[in-house]
Amino acid sequence: MLRDTGFVDIRVSPPYDTFGEAPGEEKARMFEVYGYTFMARKPDR
């Protein structure tokens, strides 16, 4: 999707835990929910 909108140099972080000690932590663990950081840039025109 990022490429389709013109972004390049796309990077995605390894998964990380965003639900530690949150009320929904148990369900997040059950469904293996993780957060990711996305970095990309739009080329100069």
Side-chain angles (χ1 to χ4, degrees):
M1 185 159 76
L2 289 171
R3 240 181 222 99
D4 291 344
T5 56
F7 285 92
V8 296
D9 297 334
I10 300 165
R11 307 248 192 264
V12 181
S13 74
Y16 57 91
D17 179 14
T18 58
F19 289 95
E21 300 181 28
E25 180 178 8
E26 185 177 319
K27 288 185 181 177
R29 301 259 183 266
M30 184 170 41
F31 291 102
E32 298 181 8
V33 176
Y34 296 97
Y36 296 86
T37 300
F38 293 84
M39 289 181 54
R41 70 177 182 84
K42 219 140 195 206
D44 295 332
R45 295 193 181 224

